Amino acid sequence: MAISNLSKIDEARNHVDRLNSAARSADQLMEGIAMLLNQHLLKYNWVGFYMLEPGANPPVLVLGHFQGAMTPHTRIPLNEGICGAAASTGKTVVVDDVKTDPRYLACSLETKSEIVVPVFVNGQVAGELDIDSHFAAAFTPEDRALVEYCAELVGKRLEEAASSH
Ligand code: SME
């Protein structure tokens, strides 16, 4: 039976909601989201979080929970990469063909497209959710909405943790 991309996305959103209810911390939620998106959506070949290092000056993104092959980019300054662009502008970046984007930092030779969505905590960028695909233009508006939803849930959990300290 053919399963449309959209229904896989709807399914993934339901799984993410369940994960969010079950997760005891933002950290567990990030670990679970990386695993779930990588396993459930076949074009999401590398899924990971980069978080801003607290107190770092100049600011730097540090690799957190991820699923997929190890990347050489474990620390990314904000003036580098698609990751740096998303964190420094606070805007989602979707790149349909990474070969044509001069900002792109290669993680795997197989990567063809990428999406990076900032995670906000109390209105400030705290990190981001980065997804690479072996397929060109893998990230449709529906994918973008799902990834932004995941980033929002993580931001809310981080906000709750920050306000309870
Ligand atoms: N491609 C990213 C670097 C991170 S790896 O994809 C995991 C970038 O251009 O910032």
Side-chain angles (χ1 to χ4, degrees), residues 46 50 71 73 76 81-84 103-105 107 114 130 132:
W46 190 96
Y50 283 94
T71 168
H73 304 292
I76 304 178
I82 295 163
C83 286
R103 299 170 299 184
Y104 175 66
L105 296 171
C107 166
E114 179 162 10
D130 177 16
D132 290 353

Side-chain angles (χ1 to χ4, degrees), residues 8-29:
K8 288 302 274 183
I9 286 180
D10 288 341
E11 264 175 45
R13 187 183 278 254
N14 292 339
H15 283 307
V16 169
D17 283 336
R18 284 204 290 277
L19 191 66
N20 188 39
S21 310
R24 278 167 306 188
S25 65
D27 194 62
Q28 262 191 13
L29 180 61

Side-chain angles (χ1 to χ4, degrees), residues 43-47 104-105 107-108 111-115 130-134 139:
K43 292 187 177 181
Y44 291 26
N45 301 106
W46 190 96
V47 181
Y104 175 66
L105 296 171
C107 166
S108 148
T111 297
K112 297 216 170 50
S113 60
E114 179 162 10
I115 182 170
D130 177 16
I131 306 179
D132 290 353
S133 179
H134 296 172
F139 304 106

Side-chain angles (χ1 to χ4, degrees), residues 29-75:
L29 180 61
M30 288 190 271
E31 186 177 22
I33 285 174
M35 209 176 289
L36 191 156
L37 295 183
N38 178 243
Q39 284 173 2
H40 200 78
L41 293 157
L42 299 178
K43 292 187 177 181
Y44 291 26
N45 301 106
W46 190 96
V47 181
F49 287 88
Y50 283 94
M51 303 310 288
L52 282 174
E53 188 167 70
N57 189 17
V60 63
L61 293 158
V62 179
L63 181 63
H65 288 292
F66 72 96
Q67 285 290 313
M70 187 55 193
T71 168
H73 304 292
T74 55
R75 295 174 67 82

Side-chain angles (χ1 to χ4, degrees), residues 79-117:
N79 59 350
E80 285 183 23
I82 295 163
C83 286
S88 58
T89 60
K91 298 226 183 323
T92 295
V93 182
V94 178
V95 180
D96 286 342
D97 178 1
V98 294
K99 276 200 311 294
T100 65
D101 194 317
R103 299 170 299 184
Y104 175 66
L105 296 171
C107 166
S108 148
L109 291 176
E110 288 174 298
T111 297
K112 297 216 170 50
S113 60
E114 179 162 10
I115 182 170
V116 187
V117 175

